[in-house]
């Protein structure tokens, strides 16, 4: 008998692979069965074997990687589901019966958690729900043709695809998404938005292949570029304020509350809170990465640590010091304060334009912003806790 699984790339995941392989080989009970674990390459848009370069020669800059794959390789079509599968041979079904039942959540020590009604949408696991979301977003709601204009939103189900949790768990193949984008382009419209979903999936591929090239360096403080000499703090008070959404900056606090309550945060939000942790709080980026790992429904080591190293300036970003200014981000992406009031109900009382800059009516900001508030607002700064000693150690790989 054979068991198939997608091949993983990062160290903790490959350790699990080895453990499962050993476990299957040593299965006891009943007549000894020969069970083999085989791996297939799945999960990326472009197949590892089709890349025009070996992983060790992967271009470091995303644009070069993207152009390399777009011009030189083809996305393989998704495999069709077999229309029917015959029953198991009788001898085998008896043997499988002897292996016992699939453990329940409780037996695994896991608890079911209700989803927050404030979340962007109700996420349901499995391929059926994934394909239903694809059908709804692309075809019923016809959102694909405007994705590029809406994708930086933060509120609601349809500013972006929300495919990431299903992609991360292997319930949805990026190649299925690709096939559906191509069908949509033929049957409805082909424009910048239809292309942009594929552009984003290439980012996902890029981080996965980067994890092969750089191995555990993506988890290390200096990142793939092995940056040294930067000063990083592990101040626990500042970190807790960030983690719990108590920084005094509504845009940060709302995003962090959304993450903790739902396990999801928009891409815009993730970039902003990452920049704030690294550049305004001066904290060790791995603390942020590990908190994301704890919470995210779509957690994937390559995309998570890839984006964190990128945002922290230790990845392969040609612009090393990418800073997201909170006043500018608030004015551009939440001008009426709808997002912050959704997650911080006390701000609903404030006039829409002031919700992102509530002054004394809200918490005192824990640190001044690196480049100030501009003309957007004039907060009082409290530097309490800012000089604290480094505490704790992070970085487990
Ligand atoms: C600090 C930080 C941490 C992140 N951690 C993760 C993570 O653990 N898992 C994860 O799947 N994504 C991660 N992302 C990427 C991105 O934020 C999410 O993929 C996206 O917000 C998911 O929402 P969506 O499916 O609606 O995306 P859409 O905007 O609809 O994009 C479509 C798909 O493209 C892929 N994609 C889009 N942007 C990125 C990106 N920057 N990097 C890699 N893939 C991308 C995702 O698979 C996504 O589902 C992170 C980004 C940042 C800045």
């Amino acid at each position: 008998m054979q068991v198939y699984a997608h091949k993983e790339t990062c160290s903790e995941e490959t350790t699990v692979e080895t453990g499962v392989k050993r476990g299957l080989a040593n299965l006891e009970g009943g007549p000894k069965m020969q069970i083999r674990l085989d791996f297939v390459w799945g999960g990326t848009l472009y197949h590892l074997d089709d890349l025009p370069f070996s992983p060790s020669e992967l271009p470091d800059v995303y644009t070069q990687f993207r152009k390399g794959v777009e011009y030189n390789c083809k996305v393989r079509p998704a495999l069709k589901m077999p229309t029917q599968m015959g029953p198991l041979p009788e001898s085998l079904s008896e043997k499988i019966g002897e292996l016992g039942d699939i453990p329940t959540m409780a037996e695994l020590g896991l608890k079911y958690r209700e989803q927050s009604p404030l979340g962007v949408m109700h996420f349901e696991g499995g391929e059926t729900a994934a394909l239903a979301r694809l059908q709804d977003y692309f075809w019923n709601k016809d959102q694909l043709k405007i994705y590029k204009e809406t994708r930086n939103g933060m509120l609601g189900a349809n500013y972006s695809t929300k495919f990431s949790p299903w992609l991360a768990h292997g319930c949805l193949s990026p190649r299925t998404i690709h096939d559906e984008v191509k069908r949509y382009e033929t049957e409805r419209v082909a424009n910048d938005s239809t292309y942009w979903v594929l552009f984003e999936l290439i980012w996902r591929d890029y981080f996965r292949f980067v994890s092969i090239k750089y191995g555990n360096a993506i988890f290390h403080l200096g990142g793939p570029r092995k940056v040294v000499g930067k000063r990083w703090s592990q101040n626990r008070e500042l970190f807790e304020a960030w983690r719990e959404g108590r920084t005094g900056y509504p845009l940060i606090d709302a995003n962090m509350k959304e993450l903790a309550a739902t396990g999801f945060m928009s891409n815009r939000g993730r970039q902003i809170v990452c920049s704030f942790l690294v550049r305004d709080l001066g904290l060790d980026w791995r603390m942020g990465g590990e908190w994301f790992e704890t919470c995210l429904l779509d957690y994937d080591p390559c995309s998570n640590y890839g984006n964190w190293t990128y945002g922290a300036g230790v990845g392969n970003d040609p612009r090393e010091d990418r800073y997201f200014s909170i006043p500018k981000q608030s004015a551009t992406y939440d001008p009426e304060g709808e997002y912050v009031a959704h997650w911080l109900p006390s701000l609903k009382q404030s006039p829409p334009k002031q919700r992102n800059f509530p002054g004394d009516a809200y918490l005192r900001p824990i640190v001044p912003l690196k480049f100030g508030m501009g003309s957007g607002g004039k907060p009082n700064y409290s530097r309490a806790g800012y000089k604290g000693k480094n505490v704790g150690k992070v970085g487990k790989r």
Side-chain angles (χ1 to χ4, degrees), residues 147 151 159-165 167-168 197 200-201 203-204 207 264-267 270-271 274 292 296 298-301 303-304 307-308:
Y147 167 77
R151 77 200 162 95
Y159 61 79
S160 65
T161 68
K162 310 294 187 302
F163 292 157
S164 58
L167 282 163
V197 168
E200 297 295 356
L201 288 173
W203 267 110
R204 186 172 167 277
F207 285 127
F264 193 82
M265 190 194 285
S266 67
N267 185 54
R270 296 182 204 201
Q271 289 176 298
C274 165
F292 268 38
L296 281 175
D298 63 23
Y299 170 68
D300 158 51
S303 286
N304 189 52
N307 274 289
W308 271 97

mmCIF file of all heavy atoms in Angstrom, residues 147 151 159-165 167-168 197 200-201 203-204 207 264-267 270-271 274 292 296 298-301 303-304 307-308, ligand 1:
data_model
loop_
_atom_site.group_PDB
_atom_site.id
_atom_site.type_symbol
_atom_site.label_atom_id
_atom_site.label_comp_id
_atom_site.label_asym_id
_atom_site.label_seq_id
_atom_site.Cartn_x
_atom_site.Cartn_y
_atom_site.Cartn_z
ATOM 1 N N TYR A 147 -10.218 42.827 -9.166
ATOM 2 C CA TYR A 147 -9.338 42.448 -8.051
ATOM 3 C C TYR A 147 -8.211 43.458 -7.824
ATOM 4 O O TYR A 147 -7.903 43.828 -6.689
ATOM 5 C CB TYR A 147 -8.761 41.043 -8.319
ATOM 6 C CG TYR A 147 -7.621 40.675 -7.405
ATOM 7 C CD1 TYR A 147 -7.849 40.276 -6.098
ATOM 8 C CD2 TYR A 147 -6.296 40.778 -7.849
ATOM 9 C CE1 TYR A 147 -6.799 39.958 -5.251
ATOM 10 C CE2 TYR A 147 -5.235 40.466 -7.013
ATOM 11 C CZ TYR A 147 -5.492 40.060 -5.714
ATOM 12 O OH TYR A 147 -4.447 39.758 -4.883
ATOM 13 N N ARG A 151 -7.902 44.921 -4.040
ATOM 14 C CA ARG A 151 -7.101 43.952 -3.255
ATOM 15 C C ARG A 151 -6.438 44.566 -2.019
ATOM 16 O O ARG A 151 -6.012 43.839 -1.134
ATOM 17 C CB ARG A 151 -6.048 43.305 -4.150
ATOM 18 C CG ARG A 151 -4.876 44.200 -4.424
ATOM 19 C CD ARG A 151 -4.067 43.821 -5.625
ATOM 20 N NE ARG A 151 -3.277 44.952 -6.027
ATOM 21 C CZ ARG A 151 -2.027 45.148 -5.661
ATOM 22 N NH1 ARG A 151 -1.416 44.251 -4.914
ATOM 23 N NH2 ARG A 151 -1.387 46.233 -6.036
ATOM 24 N N TYR A 159 -12.825 41.989 -0.981
ATOM 25 C CA TYR A 159 -11.752 42.868 -1.496
ATOM 26 C C TYR A 159 -10.616 42.031 -2.087
ATOM 27 O O TYR A 159 -9.852 42.489 -2.913
ATOM 28 C CB TYR A 159 -11.244 43.838 -0.421
ATOM 29 C CG TYR A 159 -10.649 43.195 0.806
ATOM 30 C CD1 TYR A 159 -9.351 42.694 0.800
ATOM 31 C CD2 TYR A 159 -11.379 43.095 1.989
ATOM 32 C CE1 TYR A 159 -8.800 42.092 1.925
ATOM 33 C CE2 TYR A 159 -10.844 42.496 3.113
ATOM 34 C CZ TYR A 159 -9.563 41.997 3.073
ATOM 35 O OH TYR A 159 -9.014 41.389 4.181
ATOM 36 N N SER A 160 -10.486 40.772 -1.608
ATOM 37 C CA SER A 160 -9.462 39.875 -2.153
ATOM 38 C C SER A 160 -10.050 38.463 -2.187
ATOM 39 O O SER A 160 -11.163 38.240 -1.692
ATOM 40 C CB SER A 160 -8.194 39.923 -1.298
ATOM 41 O OG SER A 160 -8.463 39.405 -0.009
ATOM 42 N N THR A 161 -9.303 37.517 -2.720
ATOM 43 C CA THR A 161 -9.896 36.191 -2.963
ATOM 44 C C THR A 161 -10.159 35.376 -1.696
ATOM 45 O O THR A 161 -11.034 34.525 -1.677
ATOM 46 C CB THR A 161 -8.963 35.342 -3.858
ATOM 47 O OG1 THR A 161 -7.771 35.035 -3.126
ATOM 48 C CG2 THR A 161 -8.625 36.056 -5.160
ATOM 49 N N LYS A 162 -9.328 35.563 -0.661
ATOM 50 C CA LYS A 162 -9.378 34.765 0.589
ATOM 51 C C LYS A 162 -9.071 33.288 0.319
ATOM 52 O O LYS A 162 -9.495 32.397 1.071
ATOM 53 C CB LYS A 162 -10.741 34.892 1.308
ATOM 54 C CG LYS A 162 -11.231 36.319 1.504
ATOM 55 C CD LYS A 162 -10.357 37.104 2.449
ATOM 56 C CE LYS A 162 -10.904 38.474 2.789
ATOM 57 N NZ LYS A 162 -11.164 39.397 1.698
ATOM 58 N N PHE A 163 -8.315 33.028 -0.735
ATOM 59 C CA PHE A 163 -7.953 31.637 -1.044
ATOM 60 C C PHE A 163 -6.871 31.091 -0.108
ATOM 61 O O PHE A 163 -6.657 29.876 -0.029
ATOM 62 C CB PHE A 163 -7.422 31.513 -2.484
ATOM 63 C CG PHE A 163 -8.442 31.746 -3.566
ATOM 64 C CD1 PHE A 163 -8.043 32.127 -4.850
ATOM 65 C CD2 PHE A 163 -9.802 31.573 -3.333
ATOM 66 C CE1 PHE A 163 -8.980 32.333 -5.857
ATOM 67 C CE2 PHE A 163 -10.743 31.784 -4.336
ATOM 68 C CZ PHE A 163 -10.319 32.168 -5.603
ATOM 69 N N SER A 164 -6.132 31.994 0.571
ATOM 70 C CA SER A 164 -4.900 31.569 1.255
ATOM 71 C C SER A 164 -5.074 30.430 2.268
ATOM 72 O O SER A 164 -4.239 29.515 2.286
ATOM 73 C CB SER A 164 -4.203 32.769 1.902
ATOM 74 O OG SER A 164 -5.074 33.406 2.808
ATOM 75 N N PRO A 165 -6.121 30.400 3.119
ATOM 76 C CA PRO A 165 -6.198 29.274 4.058
ATOM 77 C C PRO A 165 -6.315 27.931 3.339
ATOM 78 O O PRO A 165 -5.719 26.938 3.757
ATOM 79 C CB PRO A 165 -7.454 29.583 4.887
ATOM 80 C CG PRO A 165 -7.636 31.060 4.784
ATOM 81 C CD PRO A 165 -7.176 31.396 3.396
ATOM 82 N N LEU A 167 -5.256 27.266 0.269
ATOM 83 C CA LEU A 167 -3.970 26.987 -0.393
ATOM 84 C C LEU A 167 -2.972 26.430 0.620
ATOM 85 O O LEU A 167 -2.265 25.458 0.351
ATOM 86 C CB LEU A 167 -3.404 28.271 -1.013
ATOM 87 C CG LEU A 167 -4.040 28.712 -2.338
ATOM 88 C CD1 LEU A 167 -3.704 30.176 -2.628
ATOM 89 C CD2 LEU A 167 -3.565 27.834 -3.485
ATOM 90 N N ALA A 168 -2.942 27.040 1.801
ATOM 91 C CA ALA A 168 -1.953 26.636 2.811
ATOM 92 C C ALA A 168 -2.172 25.192 3.268
ATOM 93 O O ALA A 168 -1.223 24.500 3.616
ATOM 94 C CB ALA A 168 -2.013 27.577 4.012
ATOM 95 N N VAL A 197 -3.987 38.262 -10.010
ATOM 96 C CA VAL A 197 -4.131 37.113 -9.098
ATOM 97 C C VAL A 197 -2.983 36.133 -9.357
ATOM 98 O O VAL A 197 -2.385 35.577 -8.421
ATOM 99 C CB VAL A 197 -5.509 36.430 -9.286
ATOM 100 C CG1 VAL A 197 -5.558 35.086 -8.570
ATOM 101 C CG2 VAL A 197 -6.617 37.330 -8.748
ATOM 102 N N GLU A 200 0.250 37.437 -7.904
ATOM 103 C CA GLU A 200 0.357 37.193 -6.453
ATOM 104 C C GLU A 200 0.700 35.729 -6.166
ATOM 105 O O GLU A 200 1.454 35.422 -5.246
ATOM 106 C CB GLU A 200 -0.944 37.558 -5.734
ATOM 107 C CG GLU A 200 -1.333 39.027 -5.803
ATOM 108 C CD GLU A 200 -0.355 39.960 -5.096
ATOM 109 O OE1 GLU A 200 0.610 39.493 -4.469
ATOM 110 O OE2 GLU A 200 -0.553 41.192 -5.203
ATOM 111 N N LEU A 201 0.155 34.825 -6.966
ATOM 112 C CA LEU A 201 0.483 33.404 -6.760
ATOM 113 C C LEU A 201 1.958 33.136 -7.089
ATOM 114 O O LEU A 201 2.563 32.222 -6.538
ATOM 115 C CB LEU A 201 -0.430 32.514 -7.609
ATOM 116 C CG LEU A 201 -1.885 32.434 -7.110
ATOM 117 C CD1 LEU A 201 -2.756 31.675 -8.111
ATOM 118 C CD2 LEU A 201 -1.973 31.764 -5.730
ATOM 119 N N TRP A 203 4.294 35.231 -6.313
ATOM 120 C CA TRP A 203 4.969 35.596 -5.044
ATOM 121 C C TRP A 203 5.026 34.385 -4.114
ATOM 122 O O TRP A 203 6.021 34.110 -3.460
ATOM 123 C CB TRP A 203 4.188 36.707 -4.325
ATOM 124 C CG TRP A 203 4.655 38.090 -4.632
ATOM 125 C CD1 TRP A 203 3.977 39.021 -5.361
ATOM 126 C CD2 TRP A 203 5.885 38.707 -4.216
ATOM 127 N NE1 TRP A 203 4.718 40.168 -5.417
ATOM 128 C CE2 TRP A 203 5.883 40.010 -4.727
ATOM 129 C CE3 TRP A 203 6.984 38.281 -3.461
ATOM 130 C CZ2 TRP A 203 6.937 40.906 -4.503
ATOM 131 C CZ3 TRP A 203 8.039 39.167 -3.241
ATOM 132 C CH2 TRP A 203 8.004 40.461 -3.764
ATOM 133 N N ARG A 204 3.908 33.686 -4.078
ATOM 134 C CA ARG A 204 3.829 32.514 -3.196
ATOM 135 C C ARG A 204 4.848 31.468 -3.631
ATOM 136 O O ARG A 204 5.571 30.903 -2.810
ATOM 137 C CB ARG A 204 2.384 31.985 -3.259
ATOM 138 C CG ARG A 204 2.085 30.862 -2.310
ATOM 139 C CD ARG A 204 0.588 30.549 -2.324
ATOM 140 N NE ARG A 204 0.371 29.285 -1.639
ATOM 141 C CZ ARG A 204 0.502 28.099 -2.211
ATOM 142 N NH1 ARG A 204 0.821 28.011 -3.488
ATOM 143 N NH2 ARG A 204 0.302 27.001 -1.509
ATOM 144 N N PHE A 207 8.507 32.539 -2.656
ATOM 145 C CA PHE A 207 8.922 32.302 -1.269
ATOM 146 C C PHE A 207 9.155 30.810 -1.001
ATOM 147 O O PHE A 207 9.996 30.445 -0.192
ATOM 148 C CB PHE A 207 7.905 32.879 -0.287
ATOM 149 C CG PHE A 207 7.978 34.383 -0.179
ATOM 150 C CD1 PHE A 207 6.849 35.178 -0.357
ATOM 151 C CD2 PHE A 207 9.186 35.015 0.084
ATOM 152 C CE1 PHE A 207 6.922 36.563 -0.261
ATOM 153 C CE2 PHE A 207 9.276 36.408 0.184
ATOM 154 C CZ PHE A 207 8.136 37.179 0.007
ATOM 155 N N PHE A 264 -7.078 35.803 10.693
ATOM 156 C CA PHE A 264 -6.879 36.368 9.350
ATOM 157 C C PHE A 264 -6.548 37.851 9.468
ATOM 158 O O PHE A 264 -6.948 38.526 10.413
ATOM 159 C CB PHE A 264 -8.141 36.189 8.480
ATOM 160 C CG PHE A 264 -7.868 36.474 7.022
ATOM 161 C CD1 PHE A 264 -7.296 35.511 6.200
ATOM 162 C CD2 PHE A 264 -8.135 37.732 6.486
ATOM 163 C CE1 PHE A 264 -7.006 35.784 4.864
ATOM 164 C CE2 PHE A 264 -7.844 38.014 5.156
ATOM 165 C CZ PHE A 264 -7.282 37.034 4.341
ATOM 166 N N MET A 265 -5.793 38.337 8.514
ATOM 167 C CA MET A 265 -5.527 39.773 8.386
ATOM 168 C C MET A 265 -5.248 40.018 6.913
ATOM 169 O O MET A 265 -4.650 39.165 6.242
ATOM 170 C CB MET A 265 -4.296 40.168 9.224
ATOM 171 C CG MET A 265 -4.070 41.668 9.349
ATOM 172 S SD MET A 265 -2.408 42.040 9.994
ATOM 173 C CE MET A 265 -2.555 41.630 11.703
ATOM 174 N N SER A 266 -5.685 41.165 6.394
ATOM 175 C CA SER A 266 -5.456 41.483 4.974
ATOM 176 C C SER A 266 -3.962 41.606 4.692
ATOM 177 O O SER A 266 -3.161 41.817 5.611
ATOM 178 C CB SER A 266 -6.132 42.813 4.641
ATOM 179 O OG SER A 266 -5.470 43.850 5.345
ATOM 180 N N ASN A 267 -3.605 41.535 3.436
ATOM 181 C CA ASN A 267 -2.195 41.712 3.078
ATOM 182 C C ASN A 267 -1.721 43.118 3.435
ATOM 183 O O ASN A 267 -0.623 43.313 3.946
ATOM 184 C CB ASN A 267 -1.997 41.447 1.583
ATOM 185 C CG ASN A 267 -0.541 41.499 1.209
ATOM 186 O OD1 ASN A 267 0.287 40.821 1.798
ATOM 187 N ND2 ASN A 267 -0.194 42.344 0.246
ATOM 188 N N ARG A 270 -1.083 43.230 7.112
ATOM 189 C CA ARG A 270 0.137 42.493 7.496
ATOM 190 C C ARG A 270 1.383 43.332 7.221
ATOM 191 O O ARG A 270 2.328 43.356 8.010
ATOM 192 C CB ARG A 270 0.219 41.164 6.728
ATOM 193 C CG ARG A 270 -0.914 40.218 7.077
ATOM 194 C CD ARG A 270 -0.793 38.879 6.344
ATOM 195 N NE ARG A 270 -2.116 38.249 6.236
ATOM 196 C CZ ARG A 270 -2.336 36.969 6.037
ATOM 197 N NH1 ARG A 270 -1.329 36.139 5.906
ATOM 198 N NH2 ARG A 270 -3.569 36.490 5.949
ATOM 199 N N GLN A 271 1.387 44.023 6.084
ATOM 200 C CA GLN A 271 2.560 44.847 5.755
ATOM 201 C C GLN A 271 2.710 46.007 6.745
ATOM 202 O O GLN A 271 3.817 46.337 7.158
ATOM 203 C CB GLN A 271 2.420 45.398 4.333
ATOM 204 C CG GLN A 271 2.573 44.329 3.263
ATOM 205 C CD GLN A 271 2.344 44.888 1.877
ATOM 206 O OE1 GLN A 271 1.273 45.374 1.552
ATOM 207 N NE2 GLN A 271 3.365 44.838 1.062
ATOM 208 N N CYS A 274 3.764 44.786 10.313
ATOM 209 C CA CYS A 274 5.157 44.299 10.244
ATOM 210 C C CYS A 274 6.106 45.498 10.240
ATOM 211 O O CYS A 274 7.069 45.561 11.014
ATOM 212 C CB CYS A 274 5.321 43.445 8.987
ATOM 213 S SG CYS A 274 7.011 43.116 8.511
ATOM 214 N N PHE A 292 2.475 35.603 14.284
ATOM 215 C CA PHE A 292 1.690 35.310 13.078
ATOM 216 C C PHE A 292 1.560 33.785 12.912
ATOM 217 O O PHE A 292 0.495 33.273 12.606
ATOM 218 C CB PHE A 292 2.376 35.898 11.837
ATOM 219 C CG PHE A 292 1.926 37.296 11.473
ATOM 220 C CD1 PHE A 292 1.647 38.245 12.439
ATOM 221 C CD2 PHE A 292 1.793 37.672 10.140
ATOM 222 C CE1 PHE A 292 1.242 39.531 12.104
ATOM 223 C CE2 PHE A 292 1.386 38.949 9.784
ATOM 224 C CZ PHE A 292 1.113 39.886 10.761
ATOM 225 N N LEU A 296 -2.254 32.563 12.414
ATOM 226 C CA LEU A 296 -2.800 32.595 11.048
ATOM 227 C C LEU A 296 -3.479 31.301 10.597
ATOM 228 O O LEU A 296 -2.906 30.214 10.705
ATOM 229 C CB LEU A 296 -1.686 32.898 10.038
ATOM 230 C CG LEU A 296 -1.244 34.345 9.890
ATOM 231 C CD1 LEU A 296 -0.053 34.439 8.930
ATOM 232 C CD2 LEU A 296 -2.375 35.242 9.413
ATOM 233 N N ASP A 298 -3.931 30.776 7.545
ATOM 234 C CA ASP A 298 -3.227 30.445 6.303
ATOM 235 C C ASP A 298 -1.729 30.289 6.534
ATOM 236 O O ASP A 298 -0.940 30.395 5.587
ATOM 237 C CB ASP A 298 -3.511 31.490 5.215
ATOM 238 C CG ASP A 298 -3.006 32.898 5.568
ATOM 239 O OD1 ASP A 298 -2.090 33.036 6.401
ATOM 240 O OD2 ASP A 298 -3.527 33.859 4.992
ATOM 241 N N TYR A 299 -1.335 30.039 7.799
ATOM 242 C CA TYR A 299 0.105 29.967 8.090
ATOM 243 C C TYR A 299 0.811 28.985 7.159
ATOM 244 O O TYR A 299 0.392 27.838 6.993
ATOM 245 C CB TYR A 299 0.367 29.566 9.542
ATOM 246 C CG TYR A 299 1.833 29.256 9.745
ATOM 247 C CD1 TYR A 299 2.774 30.280 9.673
ATOM 248 C CD2 TYR A 299 2.288 27.945 9.915
ATOM 249 C CE1 TYR A 299 4.131 30.012 9.788
ATOM 250 C CE2 TYR A 299 3.643 27.674 10.033
ATOM 251 C CZ TYR A 299 4.552 28.715 9.968
ATOM 252 O OH TYR A 299 5.891 28.454 10.058
ATOM 253 N N ASP A 300 1.870 29.470 6.602
ATOM 254 C CA ASP A 300 2.725 28.652 5.743
ATOM 255 C C ASP A 300 4.139 29.168 5.985
ATOM 256 O O ASP A 300 4.371 30.381 5.903
ATOM 257 C CB ASP A 300 2.272 28.860 4.296
ATOM 258 C CG ASP A 300 3.345 28.522 3.289
ATOM 259 O OD1 ASP A 300 3.899 27.428 3.380
ATOM 260 O OD2 ASP A 300 3.633 29.358 2.427
ATOM 261 N N PRO A 301 5.080 28.287 6.370
ATOM 262 C CA PRO A 301 6.394 28.798 6.781
ATOM 263 C C PRO A 301 7.076 29.642 5.707
ATOM 264 O O PRO A 301 7.712 30.657 6.018
ATOM 265 C CB PRO A 301 7.198 27.527 7.089
ATOM 266 C CG PRO A 301 6.433 26.387 6.508
ATOM 267 C CD PRO A 301 5.005 26.821 6.426
ATOM 268 N N SER A 303 5.717 31.453 3.074
ATOM 269 C CA SER A 303 5.102 32.767 2.863
ATOM 270 C C SER A 303 5.237 33.633 4.108
ATOM 271 O O SER A 303 5.444 34.846 4.010
ATOM 272 C CB SER A 303 3.613 32.626 2.536
ATOM 273 O OG SER A 303 3.438 32.161 1.235
ATOM 274 N N ASN A 304 5.102 33.025 5.289
ATOM 275 C CA ASN A 304 5.153 33.846 6.500
ATOM 276 C C ASN A 304 6.555 34.398 6.727
ATOM 277 O O ASN A 304 6.773 35.605 6.766
ATOM 278 C CB ASN A 304 4.689 33.045 7.717
ATOM 279 C CG ASN A 304 4.513 33.932 8.937
ATOM 280 O OD1 ASN A 304 3.832 34.958 8.879
ATOM 281 N ND2 ASN A 304 5.158 33.574 10.031
ATOM 282 N N ASN A 307 7.820 36.699 3.889
ATOM 283 C CA ASN A 307 7.315 38.072 3.950
ATOM 284 C C ASN A 307 7.901 38.840 5.128
ATOM 285 O O ASN A 307 8.175 40.032 5.029
ATOM 286 C CB ASN A 307 5.786 38.074 4.034
ATOM 287 C CG ASN A 307 5.130 37.999 2.665
ATOM 288 O OD1 ASN A 307 5.158 38.954 1.899
ATOM 289 N ND2 ASN A 307 4.543 36.851 2.355
ATOM 290 N N TRP A 308 8.078 38.157 6.257
ATOM 291 C CA TRP A 308 8.649 38.868 7.417
ATOM 292 C C TRP A 308 10.094 39.283 7.144
ATOM 293 O O TRP A 308 10.500 40.396 7.455
ATOM 294 C CB TRP A 308 8.560 38.006 8.685
ATOM 295 C CG TRP A 308 7.257 38.230 9.410
ATOM 296 C CD1 TRP A 308 6.136 37.469 9.326
ATOM 297 C CD2 TRP A 308 6.926 39.321 10.296
ATOM 298 N NE1 TRP A 308 5.132 38.001 10.103
ATOM 299 C CE2 TRP A 308 5.578 39.131 10.714
ATOM 300 C CE3 TRP A 308 7.620 40.426 10.775
ATOM 301 C CZ2 TRP A 308 4.932 40.018 11.585
ATOM 302 C CZ3 TRP A 308 6.969 41.311 11.662
ATOM 303 C CH2 TRP A 308 5.647 41.096 12.044
HETATM 304 C C1 LIG B 1 4.193 39.792 7.274
HETATM 305 C C2 LIG B 1 3.395 38.919 6.324
HETATM 306 C C3 LIG B 1 3.141 37.584 6.637
HETATM 307 C C4 LIG B 1 2.430 36.766 5.756
HETATM 308 N N1 LIG B 1 2.191 35.450 6.086
HETATM 309 C C5 LIG B 1 1.535 34.639 5.212
HETATM 310 C C6 LIG B 1 1.305 33.262 5.514
HETATM 311 O O1 LIG B 1 1.729 32.725 6.538
HETATM 312 N N2 LIG B 1 0.594 32.523 4.602
HETATM 313 C C7 LIG B 1 0.130 33.060 3.433
HETATM 314 O O2 LIG B 1 -0.517 32.343 2.647
HETATM 315 N N3 LIG B 1 0.365 34.347 3.116
HETATM 316 C C8 LIG B 1 1.045 35.158 3.960
HETATM 317 N N4 LIG B 1 1.246 36.483 3.633
HETATM 318 C C9 LIG B 1 0.889 36.939 2.284
HETATM 319 C C10 LIG B 1 -0.508 37.584 2.126
HETATM 320 O O3 LIG B 1 -0.696 38.579 3.091
HETATM 321 C C11 LIG B 1 -1.647 36.579 2.181
HETATM 322 O O4 LIG B 1 -1.385 35.504 1.312
HETATM 323 C C12 LIG B 1 -2.965 37.239 1.734
HETATM 324 O O5 LIG B 1 -3.261 38.343 2.538
HETATM 325 C C13 LIG B 1 -4.090 36.216 1.811
HETATM 326 O O6 LIG B 1 -5.322 36.777 1.455
HETATM 327 P P1 LIG B 1 -6.000 36.431 0.080
HETATM 328 O O7 LIG B 1 -6.012 34.967 -0.147
HETATM 329 O O8 LIG B 1 -7.303 37.125 0.025
HETATM 330 O O9 LIG B 1 -4.962 37.090 -0.946
HETATM 331 P P2 LIG B 1 -5.153 37.628 -2.437
HETATM 332 O O10 LIG B 1 -4.801 39.071 -2.441
HETATM 333 O O11 LIG B 1 -6.465 37.266 -2.973
HETATM 334 O O12 LIG B 1 -3.996 36.878 -3.250
HETATM 335 C C14 LIG B 1 -4.212 35.611 -3.890
HETATM 336 C C15 LIG B 1 -3.197 34.617 -3.361
HETATM 337 O O13 LIG B 1 -1.879 35.027 -3.717
HETATM 338 C C16 LIG B 1 -0.965 34.649 -2.699
HETATM 339 N N5 LIG B 1 -0.307 35.854 -2.152
HETATM 340 C C17 LIG B 1 -0.769 37.121 -2.171
HETATM 341 N N6 LIG B 1 0.148 37.962 -1.628
HETATM 342 C C18 LIG B 1 1.188 37.191 -1.254
HETATM 343 C C19 LIG B 1 2.449 37.449 -0.628
HETATM 344 N N7 LIG B 1 2.834 38.687 -0.270
HETATM 345 N N8 LIG B 1 3.263 36.408 -0.360
HETATM 346 C C20 LIG B 1 2.927 35.134 -0.693
HETATM 347 N N9 LIG B 1 1.758 34.833 -1.302
HETATM 348 C C21 LIG B 1 0.908 35.844 -1.571
HETATM 349 C C22 LIG B 1 -1.772 33.964 -1.606
HETATM 350 O O14 LIG B 1 -1.689 32.587 -1.789
HETATM 351 C C23 LIG B 1 -3.185 34.475 -1.861
HETATM 352 O O15 LIG B 1 -4.175 33.576 -1.413
HETATM 353 C C24 LIG B 1 1.955 37.311 4.520
HETATM 354 C C25 LIG B 1 2.209 38.658 4.225
HETATM 355 C C26 LIG B 1 2.913 39.445 5.116
HETATM 356 C C27 LIG B 1 3.177 40.903 4.743
#
